[in-house]
Amino acid sequence: MSLAHTAAEYMLSDALLPDRKGPRLKGLRLELPLDRMVKFVAVGFPLLLVSLAFAQEFSSGSPISCFCPSNFSIRQAAYVDSSCWDSLVHHEQDESGQSKTKSLWPHKALPYSLLALAVAMYLPVLLWQYAAVPALTSDLLFIISELDKSYNRAIRLVQHMLKIRQESSDPDVFWDELEKARKERYFEFPLLERYLACKQRSHSLVATYLLRNALLLLFTSATYLYLGHFHLDVFFQEEFSCSIKTGLLHDETHIPDLITCRLTSLSVFQIVSLASVAIYTLLVPVILYNLTRLCRWDKRLLSIYEMLPAFDLLSRKMLGCPINDLNVILLFLRANISELISFSWLSVLCALKDTATQKHNIDTVVDFMTLLAGLEPSKPKHLTHGMCDENP
């Protein structure tokens, strides 16, 4: 008998979680994996395109090439290229013969518009970092710590029950105390459950998360409008007519009225425009999926932690509308599942509980570990019959 109790004590000691040492903040993931992917793509892709635009400019020299008259010198031709690039205005005549102009400024503004897009896409990230991360960090540290502590308390409770059973000479006294403790709910530690229930009535985290994704959709829509309104108008125009007869050159007769120029950077402009549309179109379903996750509970995570005493948010049907801070916290608990040491233990116990022959007698980790330690989860039938025979 002592050997069996010693084996049970070793088993329970091994089931205890080790105490954490060192800062736990470094290991926390304060962004969901899909949100991090959206951030890297939405911010990093425009910066990549900026580098592509600047690399093309440095490798090929001037972004335009003008066809100057043959009597122009090299310096005059360079001046024409520089002047036409500075103005970047296309001169043409309409059907009535009147002169009209069209600005080609999107070509010149391409690198700066990409930088502005990267900055705009980073604004939702800054909003999340400063408005939600401090509160989310404290919530996660407290909840992760309490979940692991609740598991350890349940194991220590079984150790104490085993010790009392060994020291008790009368088994009836032990089982009477155990039934009384369960009836009076001594095994429950309701602090964490009440804290999570309070988070269902809080909406600061979920509002910030919704605002972050709404801003991403807004800036993506603005990108579509900018590309469609400004880039599409000059998307296929490779050549334009430039006028340099301005200022002191206005009255010069040997200078032609219009000089034809060619945009050598048109291919880069087209690649950047098409790539931007394609990438941000692919990001929209991901952002929408992130929003739809707030419309349902992660019940698998909750069902596993139902093994803990007084953690019965599901069985008591305490979950209401999922659009609240508790659902956001559950999403981040799932993302930080590696920080929850108790999760793997409880997952194993849940799997074993589902295959146990006495499933109806096993509700919590206390009941299951009691059974594994060699104690009955409830009062043995022969003791119950004995009590009935003594009190007919």
Side-chain angles (χ1 to χ4, degrees):
M1 189 67 177
S2 60
L3 183 60
H5 283 295
T6 302
E9 289 177 359
Y10 286 160
M11 185 268 296
L12 293 173
S13 298
D14 291 339
L16 281 173
L17 303 179
D19 293 332
R20 289 260 184 142
K21 294 182 180 180
R24 303 184 63 177
L25 183 60
K26 294 182 179 180
L28 283 182
R29 298 175 181 174
L30 301 174
E31 276 188 310
L32 297 177
L34 285 179
D35 290 331
R36 183 176 300 179
M37 185 268 291
V38 169
K39 178 186 72 173
F40 285 142
V41 174
V43 178
F45 185 71
L47 298 178
L48 178 63
L49 295 180
V50 169
S51 64
L52 174 64
F54 282 124
Q56 189 273 341
E57 182 177 350
F58 291 143
S59 62
S60 62
S62 176
I64 65 172
S65 176
C66 296
F67 303 100
C68 300
S70 59
N71 59 345
F72 274 36
S73 65
I74 296 178
R75 295 183 63 183
Q76 287 174 326
Y79 170 78
V80 171
D81 288 349
S82 176
S83 177
C84 290
W85 176 250
D86 288 340
S87 62
L88 211 60
V89 175
H90 174 53
H91 295 262
E92 61 182 352
Q93 291 183 346
D94 56 14
E95 297 178 354
S96 61
Q98 295 182 351
S99 177
K100 65 176 184 179
T101 60
K102 182 174 72 172
S103 177
L104 305 177
W105 66 267
H107 289 276
K108 187 187 298 185
L110 179 63
Y112 309 103
S113 61
L114 291 173
L115 286 175
L117 177 60
V119 171
M121 289 298 180
Y122 194 66
L123 291 179
V125 179
L126 289 179
L127 172 69
W128 179 257
Q129 289 290 333
Y130 287 99
V133 164
L136 179 64
T137 302
S138 61
D139 287 337
L140 289 177
L141 289 177
F142 172 74
I143 293 172
I144 290 174
S145 176
E146 282 299 311
L147 287 175
D148 290 346
K149 287 179 180 178
S150 297
Y151 171 82
N152 271 352
R153 283 195 293 262
I155 300 300
R156 290 192 179 100
L157 181 61
V158 178
Q159 287 179 324
H160 184 66
M161 291 167 55
L162 184 63
K163 182 180 179 181
I164 293 178
R165 180 66 182 87
Q166 286 179 296
E167 296 175 352
S168 175
S169 57
D170 188 358
D172 289 331
V173 175
F174 168 76
W175 288 112
D176 289 342
E177 290 292 329
L178 183 60
E179 293 297 330
K180 180 180 178 182
R182 284 177 175 164
K183 185 177 180 180
E184 299 295 334
R185 302 169 69 94
Y186 291 162
F187 294 165
E188 299 186 1
F189 309 98
L191 174 63
L192 179 59
E193 182 184 279
R194 293 179 182 177
Y195 181 77
L196 295 180
C198 289
K199 284 298 174 181
Q200 287 195 87
R201 299 187 291 271
S202 176
H203 299 86
S204 58
L205 287 177
V206 71
T208 307
Y209 190 78
L210 290 173
L211 181 58
R212 171 183 178 169
N213 287 277
L215 286 176
L216 287 173
L217 291 176
L218 177 64
F219 293 147
T220 303
S221 302
T223 302
Y224 289 151
L225 291 176
Y226 174 79
L227 294 174
H229 184 70
F230 295 106
H231 282 216
L232 189 60
D233 191 35
V234 298
F235 189 79
F236 298 102
Q237 186 161 355
E238 186 177 7
E239 295 183 352
F240 68 100
S241 299
C242 174
S243 174
I244 62 171
K245 295 187 69 173
T246 58
L248 297 176
L249 301 177
H250 182 71
D251 297 328
E252 296 292 334
T253 57
H254 68 282
I255 297 177
D257 293 334
L258 296 176
I259 297 178
T260 302
C261 296
R262 177 176 173 270
L263 290 165
T264 58
S265 61
L266 180 64
S267 59
V268 175
F269 181 83
Q270 292 174 336
I271 291 174
V272 168
S273 302
L274 292 176
S276 299
V277 172
I279 291 299
Y280 286 105
T281 301
L282 293 176
L283 284 183
V284 169
V286 180
I287 298 173
L288 293 177
Y289 174 74
N290 288 339
L291 292 175
T292 57
R293 287 191 298 176
L294 296 176
C295 299
R296 61 182 185 275
W297 294 102
D298 187 1
K299 292 187 177 181
R300 182 175 178 274
L301 181 66
L302 291 175
S303 63
I304 288 177
Y305 277 95
E306 288 271 308
M307 288 283 289
L308 292 178
F311 195 88
D312 46 2
L313 293 174
L314 281 177
S315 59
R316 293 188 186 182
K317 298 181 179 180
M318 299 174 64
L319 300 178
C321 176
I323 304 178
N324 51 52
D325 286 357
L326 177 59
N327 200 8
V328 177
I329 292 173
L330 291 178
L331 291 177
F332 278 91
L333 284 177
R334 171 66 68 179
N336 289 277
I337 207 70
S338 59
E339 299 294 318
L340 278 167
I341 309 177
S342 57
F343 179 81
S344 58
W345 279 93
L346 290 175
S347 299
V348 173
L349 294 180
C350 281
L352 294 176
K353 184 191 75 170
D354 294 336
T355 58
T357 56
Q358 298 180 347
K359 188 188 303 184
H360 59 281
N361 290 328
I362 300 175
D363 294 325
T364 66
V365 65
V366 175
D367 298 330
F368 197 87
M369 297 306 290
T370 300
L371 183 63
L372 291 181
L375 297 176
E376 293 288 337
S378 60
K379 192 171 184 178
K381 293 183 178 180
H382 68 276
L383 294 178
T384 304
H385 292 326
M387 291 292 296
C388 294
D389 293 340
E390 293 177 6
N391 302 301

